[in-house]
Amino acid sequence: MQATAYTYDTGTRSGSVLLDDGTPVPFDAPAFDAGGLRLLRPGQRVRIEVEAAEGAEGAGGVPRITLITLQTF
């Protein structure tokens, strides 16, 4: 799945991305570390891998990002 980097905190290595429909989805340090990145800037196009969030409120809940890498063409 593709998304656009929205926020990134270098101290916690966490942040959020925007899906193509504008939905923000947070990611944590383990997801960032799994991708091997050193830095992420807002606006960068990224590839994410997600798993469904269990027990989340709403229809289907918010997906949990398990990996974030730069999108390459």
Side-chain angles (χ1 to χ4, degrees):
M1 178 182 291
Q2 295 181 27
T4 302
Y6 185 53
T7 64
Y8 176 68
D9 182 322
T10 57
T12 62
R13 296 183 330 279
S14 63
S16 63
V17 299
L18 292 177
L19 301 181
D20 290 342
D21 67 0
T23 304
V25 180
F27 63 87
D28 55 14
F32 183 79
D33 294 343
L37 298 176
R38 295 189 306 160
L39 182 64
L40 191 60
R41 293 186 312 261
Q44 286 181 302
R45 195 70 175 157
V46 295
R47 184 179 69 83
I48 58 173
E49 291 183 12
V50 299
E51 65 182 28
E54 294 184 30
E57 294 181 15
V62 176
R64 186 175 80 81
I65 296 176
T66 58
L67 175 94
I68 182 168
T69 60
L70 292 180
Q71 177 65 36
T72 57
F73 299 99

